[in-house]
Amino acid sequence: SQELEQSPQSLIVQEGKNLTINCTSSKTLYGLYWYKQKYGEGLIFLMMLQKGGEEKSHEKITAKLDEKKQQSSLHITASQPSHAGIYLCGADNSGTYKYIFGTGTRLKVLA
Amino acid sequence: GAVVSQHPSRVICKSGTSVKIECRSLDFQATTMFWYRQFPKQSLMLMATSNEGSKATYEQGVEKDKFLINHASLTLSTLTVTSAHPEDSSFYICSAADFFEQYFGPGTRLTVT
């Protein structure tokens, strides 16, 4: 069965620093989604990537999907305390909306 | 964007009782709804897929008699945790899908004492 591995599992950065979170799939992805979750709360949709080599940006967050559609990275530029939370990658590998999720990356940004 | 609500947001119940969680799509008709469970410091795990008017499809390892899912309409799905035990304490998130996208609810935190 397909698995999504995220790295790092946790990250503590100083405000203003850049950071990258990676998500690796054992199989080719149909669609790759990035979500942010505050502790004990629902998911906030960040971005969706479908095409190999695709890159999307929103405010200070950029997500990329590699050409083989098996690895994605989420990059935050000039991090702020508001970026703190859990970042989850999710994948729909069959177009059926049955998502699997990565293990999550817990981000803390120190002011 | 589309909104999915869950009710209640938090519930505490005693061991052995049943708890019902509602998931509603507020401004669209959901062809399919999903239920996920998230244990502390762990990722989301898909529990079951439900389609309106038909039986839910459960993922391997999920007890269908314990987690009853009813998808009565295109905007409402309910998850009932029957005879809840402390190990059922978790964060339950539903999602609703139309033809284009999947939208997640805010989650329900269940604590079984």
Side-chain angles (χ1 to χ4, degrees), chain B residues 8-102:
Chain B
S9 58
R10 292 175 181 269
V11 58
I12 300 173
C13 70
K14 292 186 177 180
S15 186
T17 62
S18 295
V19 175
K20 181 186 285 187
I21 302 170
E22 291 186 349
C23 177
R24 292 182 185 271
S25 57
L26 299 182
D27 54 1
F28 69 103
Q29 292 185 328
T31 54
T32 307
M33 287 187 171
F34 303 87
W35 288 95
Y36 294 83
R37 178 170 55 186
Q38 184 180 36
F39 290 106
K41 298 186 179 182
Q42 294 187 30
S43 189
L44 289 161
M45 299 296 293
L46 179 64
M47 297 175 66
T49 304
S50 76
N51 293 290
E52 184 261 342
S54 62
K55 289 184 179 180
T57 303
Y58 291 82
E59 295 300 302
Q60 192 172 11
V62 179
E63 299 175 59
K64 63 180 181 180
D65 294 329
K66 181 169 185 61
F67 298 99
L68 301 179
I69 292 173
N70 184 287
H71 196 152
S73 74
L74 286 171
T75 59
L76 173 64
S77 176
T78 60
L79 169 69
T80 302
V81 183
T82 63
S83 187
H85 291 287
E87 56 265 31
D88 297 324
S89 298
S90 188
F91 190 60
Y92 293 87
I93 297 180
C94 73
S95 68
D98 60 16
F99 292 107
F100 305 102
E101 192 51 82
Q102 181 173 178

Side-chain angles (χ1 to χ4, degrees), chain A:
Chain A
S1 61
Q2 183 176 22
E3 293 183 351
L4 291 180
E5 291 283 339
Q6 274 185 247
S7 63
Q9 289 187 352
S10 63
L11 196 53
I12 301 174
V13 299
Q14 201 70 38
E15 182 177 5
K17 295 294 185 182
N18 303 335
L19 63 104
T20 300
I21 299 169
N22 295 301
C23 176
T24 302
S25 169
S26 56
K27 295 181 181 179
T28 300
L29 299 166
Y30 181 87
L32 189 286
Y33 300 77
W34 282 100
Y35 293 90
K36 179 184 174 184
Q37 182 186 30
K38 292 191 176 180
Y39 294 101
E41 296 183 15
L43 302 179
I44 301 169
F45 171 77
L46 296 176
M47 269 169 277
M48 179 189 77
L49 303 166
Q50 276 192 307
K51 299 176 183 177
E54 188 174 9
E55 178 177 324
K56 288 187 178 178
S57 293
H58 177 67
E59 297 181 344
K60 295 184 178 181
I61 301 176
T62 300
K64 300 178 185 179
L65 182 62
D66 75 339
E67 289 290 343
K68 293 184 178 179
K69 297 173 65 175
Q70 285 189 259
Q71 187 164 18
S72 178
S73 61
L74 185 81
H75 184 79
I76 299 177
T77 304
S79 59
Q80 300 171 348
S82 60
H83 287 126
I86 302 169
Y87 288 81
L88 287 163
C89 62
D92 174 6
N93 69 326
S94 60
T96 61
Y97 289 132
K98 290 178 69 172
Y99 286 10
I100 58 169
F101 285 88
T103 47
T105 296
R106 284 151 184 78
L107 172 65
K108 188 172 183 178
V109 180
L110 303 176

